[in-house]
């Protein structure tokens, strides 16, 4: 991101921050909707019993994949400013949602395959 001017860097970090919060919002709304459709209580796995472990798994997996994708985006040559400014927040949005969904998918898997 060294080739970006101040405004581009600021807008990129602003979009990354918004994408992080949006992934949390989408995660909560979508999984509560899915649980209601399945007839289960809409309490998310990150809000239940073994909360610390689920949160570490969720945030860790989302952060690891998002960092890997953002790092790979920064390795592209020639580095396109639009890809950095819009690709990194998109990677954070998608990977944040998928990472947060890992405990939910695991809970559904355990209930179905008991």
């Amino acid at each position: 991101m060294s080739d970006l001017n101040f405004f581009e860097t600021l807008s990129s970090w602003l979009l990354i921050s918004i994408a992080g919060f949006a992934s949390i919002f989408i995660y909560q709304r979508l999984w509560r909707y899915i649980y209601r459709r399945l007839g289960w209580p809409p309490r998310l796995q990150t809000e239940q019993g073994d909360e610390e472990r689920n949160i570490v798994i969720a945030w860790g997996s989302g952060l690891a994949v998002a960092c890997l994708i953002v790092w790979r985006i920064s390795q592209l040559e020639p580095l396109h400013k639009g890809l950095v400014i819009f690709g990194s927040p998109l990677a954070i949005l998608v990977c944040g949602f998928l990472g947060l969904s890992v405990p939910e998918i695991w809970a559904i898997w355990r209930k179905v395959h008991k």
Side-chain angles (χ1 to χ4, degrees):
M1 290 205 334
S2 61
D3 292 341
L4 302 178
N5 64 31
F6 175 75
F7 178 73
E8 292 167 338
T9 304
L10 182 66
S11 64
S12 176
W13 283 109
L14 182 65
L15 287 174
I16 286 172
S17 300
I18 291 170
F21 287 117
S23 66
I24 296 169
F25 180 77
I26 293 168
Y27 155 76
Q28 289 177 339
R29 300 291 179 207
L30 181 68
W31 282 105
R32 288 185 203 279
Y33 174 76
I34 289 171
Y35 282 168
R36 272 190 241 114
R37 297 283 292 177
L38 292 173
W40 298 349
R43 193 161 178 231
L44 301 174
Q45 295 300 311
T46 53
E47 299 170 344
Q48 295 181 12
D50 197 8
E51 192 172 315
E52 292 81 21
R53 184 180 65 132
N54 285 337
I55 289 175
V56 168
I57 291 169
W59 284 101
S61 61
L63 185 63
V65 174
C67 287
L68 180 68
I69 290 174
V70 170
W71 175 70
R72 291 304 297 162
I73 286 173
S74 68
Q75 298 298 315
L76 294 174
E77 293 291 335
L79 187 61
H80 297 284
K81 290 181 180 183
L83 183 63
V84 171
I85 294 172
F86 297 110
S88 298
L90 183 61
I92 298 292
L93 179 69
V94 171
C95 296
F97 169 74
L98 293 176
L100 287 169
S101 297
V102 167
E104 311 301 332
I105 294 168
W106 181 250
I108 290 173
W109 178 267
R110 282 191 319 210
K111 284 186 180 184
V112 169
H113 293 326
K114 274 191 174 183

